[in-house]
């Protein structure tokens, strides 16, 4: 597989993830929330705050996809191991940690405001854990890509 075809596949995957995110955040969550609010009128006042919270949590996810797109562009240029890609991966790490921290803190605040159920708070810990896993993976890849870029640069200077 060539670098350009790999890049095209990765860009296709990024577009697919972005479309799935749009369907989930833009259609499924509002419909599911509205159905839950209609079925349980005592929780109807939870609908909009939670929907806004979830939409805000989508922003870092799309920024991660944007940085992933930049990485695939570098892969297409046969520049996979570069300081630039290491920096993009570091941004992905920071965004994933930020989103995980945001989601955890918001769940905690909503719990204390009596707008969250304890089981939802516990379930959100799995989502937070997944975000931390993405952050650690991105940080590790950033470190490895940076080391590979340094080795590649040293080899280019060697006669």
């Amino acid at each position: 597989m060539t670098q350009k075809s790999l890049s095209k596949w990765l860009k296709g995957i990024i577009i697919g993830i972005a479309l799935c995110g749009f369907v989930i955040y833009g259609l499924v969550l509002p419909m599911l929330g509205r159905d839950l609010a209609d079925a349980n009128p005592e929780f109807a006042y939870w609908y909009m705050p939670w929907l806004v919270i979830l939409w805000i949590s989508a922003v870092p996810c799309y920024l991660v996809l944007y940085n992933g797109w930049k990485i695939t562009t570098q892969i297409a240029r046969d520049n996979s191991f570069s300081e630039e890609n290491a920096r993009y991966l570091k941004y992905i790490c920071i965004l994933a940690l930020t989103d995980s921290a945001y989601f955890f803190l918001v769940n905690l605040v909503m719990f204390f405001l009596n707008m969250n159920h304890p089981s939802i708070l516990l379930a959100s810990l799995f989502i937070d854990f997944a975000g931390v896993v993405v952050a650690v993976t991105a940080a590790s890849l950033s470190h490895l890509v940076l080391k590979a870029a340094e080795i590649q640069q040293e080899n280019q200077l060697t006669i």
Side-chain angles (χ1 to χ4, degrees):
M1 181 177 279
T2 66
Q3 296 290 94
K4 287 194 180 209
S5 65
L6 175 63
S7 175
K8 286 180 185 178
W9 275 101
L10 291 172
K11 285 181 179 181
I13 291 168
I14 289 171
I15 290 169
I17 292 171
L19 290 174
C20 287
F22 174 75
V23 168
I24 290 170
Y25 283 106
L27 301 174
V28 173
L29 288 176
M31 286 190 317
L32 183 64
R34 180 54 46 209
D35 289 345
L36 287 170
D38 290 343
N40 304 298
E42 66 272 15
F43 301 133
Y45 71 98
W46 293 12
Y47 175 71
M48 277 313 290
W50 271 107
L51 192 58
V52 170
I53 286 166
L54 292 172
W55 284 343
I56 291 170
S57 74
V59 172
C61 298
Y62 279 95
L63 290 173
V64 164
L65 292 177
Y66 174 71
N67 281 297
W69 189 272
K70 286 181 170 182
I71 291 171
T72 60
T73 302
Q74 291 298 319
I75 290 171
R77 294 181 185 153
D78 201 20
N79 194 19
S80 301
F81 302 110
S82 64
E83 290 179 17
E84 215 173 340
N85 280 351
R87 190 176 55 235
Y88 295 145
L89 286 164
K90 187 175 180 181
Y91 293 153
I92 289 171
C93 170
I94 292 167
L95 288 166
L97 282 177
T98 302
D99 199 28
S100 293
Y102 163 78
F103 200 67
F104 175 74
L105 291 174
V106 163
N107 267 291
L108 207 56
V109 167
M110 295 301 267
F111 177 75
F112 288 121
L113 291 175
N114 201 25
M115 294 179 75
N116 195 359
H117 192 272
S119 62
I120 300 295
L121 181 64
L122 289 175
S124 74
L125 293 177
F126 290 107
I127 295 169
D128 295 329
F129 179 72
V132 171
V133 167
V134 168
V136 168
T137 303
S140 301
L141 286 173
S142 174
H143 175 74
L144 293 173
V145 167
L146 187 60
K147 291 293 182 188
E150 290 171 0
I151 291 170
Q152 185 177 19
Q153 190 174 20
E154 286 175 10
N155 286 339
Q156 287 174 351
L157 296 175
T158 305
I159 296 177

